Amino acid sequence: MTFTNKAAKEMQNRVSKILGSAAIGLSWLGTFHSICAKLLRKHASAVNLNSNFTIIDSDDQIRLIKNICKAENIDVKQLSPRFILAIIDRWKNKGYYPPEVIVNKKDLYEKTILPLYKIYQQKLTDLNSCDFGDLILHTVKILEYNLDVREIYSKNFKYILVDEYQDTNFIQSKWLNLLSEKNKNICCVGDDDQSIYSWRGAEIKNFLEFDQVYKNTKVIRLEQNYRSSQNILSVASNLIANNQNRVGKTLITTMEEGDLVQLNCFKNGKDEAVGVSDEIEKKIKKKFSYNNIAILVRAIFQTREFEERFLKIGMPYRILGGTKFYERAEIKDCVAYLRLIYQERDDLAFERIINNPKRSIGESTLKNIHKFAKENNLNLERASIKMLEKNLIKPKAKIGLSLFINSLNKWRYDFKIKKSTHVKLLQIVLDESGYSAMLKNKKDLDNQNRLENIKELLNAMKEFDNLENFLEHVSLATSVDQEWDGEKINMMTMHAAKGLEFDVVFLPGWEEGLFPHQKSIEEKGQKGLEEERRLAYVGITRAKKKAIISFSMNRFYQGDWIDSMASRFIDELPEKHLEKNSFFDEEINDTNDFDFNQDFEIEEGTRSPGWIRYQKRIK
DNA sequence: ATGAGCTAGCTTTTT
DNA sequence: GCTAGCTCAT
């Protein structure tokens, strides 16, 4: 069991290599979500779902919640759908179906949201859909309530191995607990200093209290590091030592001392990007391949500055994360067509494409269909058919709607009776729906790109045996499992870099507010800060040979120039393992060492010495 | 029904 | 700087 698809793939490869041809049946090696999805499809009826249920993404979740809020007269400006979903997700991670939620009476939000959760869950069942949380929650409930099912799986899984155990949440650990019930052979690997997913419900106590839950546990401490040089390890260890809440460990490495960790100061974000690219161009690239270089950031938007710079000088790069391929509008449209053909109860897909391309079916028509569907307990497609029969659709919309419904039937015929492959099916759909024509008619660069993306999608689909497998992949795929071929510099968030390693790691943007992130501290105080520090620890320890940390005094953010000051984490780095450079003002000095000397309390309004110097200079 | 034009709010991290 | 969501003219 792993957390990310990337890690799962890596493990598949390694295990296959060891087992050789015996590596068949690795189907139970995967992420929590993919394995649960597999189990759930087998036993879907136990939670009132069809085995062809749709897995919806956060976009669909938000649309669904918005619809519910509208119906329930809840102002989404007062109570944002994201917030509602966050609370619902929290409940799901704790293993509560709506009736099991115990509302904190003092919490006004929870009191309002619980009824919404109930409706939301009912809607999902009606749509024959699951959200991410359901994949695990439903599976656990099935195992809990159906002893026979539980018996089968807990008997058959003789050994269970789990990676990154520190990031499991309650429901995941519960699941493992049920699965390991019979054989009690469970091996979990983790590092409390690398727990960075508390915002997703991860509970470090699963890791810390493992030996209390599972009797006769053997604890094996792994303190030998095979990855990083001594200097890198010292910097990381010193930093993480500032956390109060940790088990504590002394890492030793077999690697040599290596280069000092670099700490660079820049004037602004642009300079920082230039500085990083210069460093790569002048020094790094001679010794290391691009694939072994990574730029790890706190928030994905930070990659933009680097992207611009790298495009300008023609340096190859890849960005892992951000807008994922399957999240692009045109791709989601294609997938929505396929989803609806595959599963007629998928109202969210229906809504997305009913008027895309334009079929003169507007808001009011859609509203009527919704109303009719609700009154007669039908899905949107069935409701439309009934309304057409009863002549309840306005003339103009009627033409478009009949066309749409007829097309759907034809496509299902192509798929089910004529057995067109899923690739062929999408080609037919794009052609006959007028979607391709719509893009071809508007000849700008954007649409050109969209067509290219669709071509890429068609290509990607070929790798899957059937529509079912493809749709499952789409819902569970994430950014990190895209292409890794070619020689390119890697850019991603530190979260996404978990479990990966590179020879050279750049860690830009170490500024107060950005890293540690303001929101994190605002929302979770000291705990949030410690998690940010663990994130920094994860970032640094991705490096094998060189780590280069940097910050800038000024940054363009959300359309404004913001003055910034060095991150408090920078004060926590041990001087003797550092090499400090200022690229602050090239005219005055280029490589002179500068003194941070930040032994002062950081409070609101205080500025770093660098910032103060900067202010003096510009005066 | 549709599209242009405007404004408010926003980005932390992801299966 | 970007976009979802709103208003207004057609």
Side-chain angles (χ1 to χ4, degrees):
Chain A
M1 217 83 64
T2 66
F3 271 85
T4 62
N5 296 307
K6 172 83 181 65
K9 211 181 228 170
E10 175 77 28
M11 222 175 267
Q12 288 270 7
N13 287 341
R14 292 196 198 177
V15 175
S16 304
K17 231 182 231 165
I18 296 167
L19 295 183
S21 59
I24 38 166
L26 281 183
S27 46
W28 296 109
L29 195 170
T31 63
F32 279 91
H33 295 267
S34 69
I35 292 179
C36 277
K38 194 177 285 178
L39 279 173
L40 193 53
R41 288 205 192 274
K42 286 197 179 158
H43 305 279
S45 59
V47 285
N48 293 324
L49 289 172
N50 235 314
S51 71
N52 67 346
F53 62 81
T54 303
I55 302 168
I56 65 165
D57 65 6
S58 57
D59 247 34
D60 289 332
Q61 283 183 296
I62 288 175
R63 272 197 295 152
L64 195 51
I65 287 287
K66 274 186 189 163
N67 286 344
I68 295 170
C69 286
K70 216 182 240 169
E72 297 298 302
N73 277 322
I74 290 187
D75 184 3
V76 289
K77 276 178 192 135
Q78 301 275 315
L79 194 62
S80 88
R82 276 163 180 280
F83 181 76
I84 297 170
L85 282 166
I87 302 286
I88 291 177
D89 198 49
R90 208 165 73 197
W91 284 330
K92 289 191 175 182
N93 286 337
K94 285 194 176 151
Y96 304 144
Y97 275 156
E100 293 153 350
V101 173
I102 304 150
V103 173
N104 180 352
K105 290 239 165 64
K106 274 182 260 165
D107 197 325
L108 218 105
Y109 290 121
E110 287 194 356
K111 252 167 67 185
T112 331
I113 294 170
L114 182 55
L116 301 178
Y117 178 24
K118 202 174 163 203
I119 301 168
Y120 173 73
Q121 215 55 13
Q122 185 55 50
K123 282 258 176 188
L124 282 177
T125 311
D126 293 344
L127 296 170
N128 190 27
S129 299
C130 279
D131 63 15
F132 283 119
D134 285 340
L135 291 176
I136 299 171
L137 181 60
H138 283 326
T139 308
V140 166
K141 295 290 177 190
I142 289 170
L143 292 176
E144 261 185 326
Y145 297 138
N146 301 276
L147 281 175
D148 48 333
V149 180
R150 181 152 113 220
E151 179 113 352
I152 297 170
Y153 289 101
S154 67
K155 248 188 195 154
N156 283 350
F157 289 125
K158 296 217 172 77
Y159 301 93
I160 298 172
L161 297 100
V162 190
D163 195 16
E164 309 277 12
Y165 193 69
Q166 78 280 354
D167 283 325
T168 53
N169 57 35
F170 170 81
I171 197 76
Q172 288 161 337
S173 71
K174 179 82 199 169
W175 182 54
L176 293 170
N177 191 251
L178 291 169
L179 285 183
S180 61
E181 191 182 71
K182 275 260 145 26
N183 294 305
K184 298 256 188 320
N185 280 320
I186 180 164
C187 170
C188 296
V189 182
D191 175 357
D192 60 313
D193 286 333
Q194 292 189 45
S195 159
I196 52 176
Y197 281 101
S198 75
W199 49 275
R200 224 171 60 191
E203 293 185 65
I204 205 163
K205 75 165 195 245
N206 291 335
F207 177 76
L208 300 177
E209 294 170 7
F210 185 89
D211 54 352
Q212 288 161 43
V213 176
Y214 297 89
K215 302 294 167 200
N216 300 322
T217 296
K218 187 170 179 190
V219 177
I220 303 168
R221 291 174 70 90
L222 305 171
E223 293 187 300
Q224 171 128 29
N225 181 298
Y226 298 90
R227 179 187 290 151
S228 308
S229 74
Q230 187 61 62
N231 274 320
I232 292 168
L233 215 54
S234 299
V235 169
S237 298
N238 257 278
L239 177 74
I240 199 67
N242 288 283
N243 272 7
Q244 304 297 313
N245 213 338
R246 63 190 286 257
V247 179
K249 58 178 168 293
T250 315
L251 288 177
I252 45 166
T253 179
T254 46
M255 305 289 147
E256 53 198 28
E257 201 157 290
D259 295 342
L260 290 171
V261 170
Q262 271 185 56
L263 180 55
N264 297 335
C265 168
F266 295 98
K267 192 163 105 192
N268 56 45
K270 245 197 175 87
D271 280 10
E272 191 178 37
V274 173
V276 168
S277 68
D278 278 358
E279 177 85 13
I280 295 172
E281 193 71 47
K282 284 180 193 150
K283 297 183 199 153
I284 309 284
K285 139 179 164 179
K286 292 186 188 111
K287 285 197 231 156
F288 304 97
S289 80
Y290 283 140
N291 273 344
N292 275 319
I293 305 171
I295 299 173
L296 306 183
V297 294
R298 172 68 246 259
I300 196 69
F301 75 84
Q302 292 173 262
T303 55
R304 261 191 76 156
E305 204 113 49
F306 293 96
E307 183 169 26
E308 263 166 41
R309 173 68 187 165
F310 287 10
L311 278 173
K312 199 169 173 185
I313 59 170
M315 203 172 256
Y317 68 90
R318 64 170 72 86
I319 296 177
L320 305 167
T323 315
K324 299 156 199 171
F325 181 71
Y326 290 114
E327 280 173 10
R328 289 164 204 260
E330 62 277 17
I331 303 300
K332 291 199 72 167
D333 291 342
C334 291
V335 172
Y337 273 100
L338 294 172
R339 263 164 59 173
L340 187 59
I341 292 168
Y342 185 64
Q343 211 264 94
E344 70 161 50
R345 278 157 67 189
D346 195 336
D347 285 355
L348 293 165
F350 183 94
E351 247 180 306
R352 183 177 182 99
I353 53 176
I354 183 172
N355 200 31
N356 186 7
K358 298 272 178 299
R359 298 186 181 93
S360 296
I361 302 164
E363 212 179 324
S364 58
T365 306
L366 191 60
K367 213 171 162 186
N368 288 335
I369 299 175
H370 259 294
K371 201 168 152 234
F372 189 87
K374 203 174 174 190
E375 284 164 1
N376 296 281
N377 201 16
L378 296 166
N379 62 49
L380 293 181
E381 186 180 342
R382 284 290 163 89
S384 307
I385 294 168
K386 267 266 149 27
M387 288 177 79
L388 283 169
E389 282 170 11
K390 295 192 168 182
N391 215 8
L392 294 169
I393 306 284
K394 286 194 189 123
K396 210 170 168 190
K398 189 176 173 178
I399 302 167
L401 189 59
S402 333
L403 191 76
F404 181 58
I405 297 286
N406 289 337
S407 300
L408 277 173
N409 285 331
K410 194 246 166 200
W411 296 327
R412 289 203 186 106
Y413 176 81
D414 285 338
F415 177 59
K416 286 186 183 142
I417 311 294
K418 276 175 72 190
K419 304 271 179 221
S420 300
T421 66
H422 52 299
V423 181
K424 181 79 186 149
L425 179 66
L426 181 56
Q427 282 169 335
I428 294 172
V429 168
L430 286 167
D431 194 28
E432 296 181 358
S433 66
Y435 198 94
S436 296
M438 170 182 77
L439 292 183
K440 278 176 193 153
N441 286 342
K442 276 190 260 164
K443 279 215 174 67
D444 56 11
L445 203 71
D446 275 357
N447 284 304
Q448 207 103 77
N449 270 335
R450 286 188 189 118
L451 280 167
E452 283 300 311
N453 286 336
I454 290 174
K455 266 187 208 154
E456 209 177 314
L457 175 72
L458 283 163
N459 225 2
M461 284 171 74
K462 287 181 191 152
E463 302 203 1
F464 297 87
D465 297 340
N466 52 46
L467 184 58
E468 202 168 4
N469 288 353
F470 170 70
L471 288 176
E472 176 111 352
H473 166 81
V474 172
S475 357
L476 297 178
T478 58
S479 49
V480 190
D481 34 52
Q482 48 175 254
E483 42 96 31
W484 281 81
D485 358 299
E487 280 289 315
K488 290 169 183 175
I489 295 166
N490 304 289
M491 287 189 229
M492 70 196 91
T493 63
M494 286 180 267
H495 281 92
K498 190 167 89 155
L500 306 180
E501 57 179 29
F502 305 91
D503 284 335
V504 183
V505 171
F506 287 91
L507 296 157
W510 282 41
E511 293 129 38
E512 276 300 299
L514 183 55
F515 191 39
H517 201 280
Q518 185 127 25
K519 282 243 161 99
S520 178
I521 297 174
E522 271 169 19
E523 281 165 20
K524 280 174 282 168
Q526 189 62 23
K527 279 198 172 145
L529 176 63
E530 295 211 346
E531 180 148 324
E532 294 284 298
R533 197 177 277 116
R534 289 194 291 272
L535 190 55
Y537 176 80
V538 169
I540 297 169
T541 51
R542 297 310 92 198
K544 292 180 4 195
K545 307 211 167 96
K546 271 175 113 41
I548 298 145
I549 299 167
S550 59
F551 62 95
S552 65
M553 309 316 302
N554 198 259
R555 188 173 288 283
F556 197 63
Y557 181 63
Q558 285 183 201
D560 263 321
W561 285 99
I562 311 269
D563 283 329
S564 45
M565 59 192 228
S567 164
R568 66 189 78 184
F569 295 154
I570 286 188
D571 306 333
E572 300 173 0
L573 306 175
E575 298 266 337
K576 73 171 189 184
H577 300 285
L578 290 184
E579 171 198 330
K580 294 177 182 173
N581 306 295
S582 176
F583 300 90
F584 191 74
D585 195 337
E586 288 105 26
E587 285 133 340
I588 294 175
N589 55 12
D590 206 345
T591 50
N592 266 8
D593 228 48
F594 64 96
D595 184 15
F596 285 103
N597 187 22
Q598 296 192 347
D599 326 293
F600 58 89
E601 281 297 305
I602 292 173
E603 293 161 66
E604 270 293 302
T606 354
R607 297 292 190 179
S608 72
W611 187 86
I612 293 159
R613 261 199 315 278
Y614 174 56
Q615 292 303 310
K616 273 186 199 148
R617 269 184 209 168
I618 56 174
K619 264 171 202 160

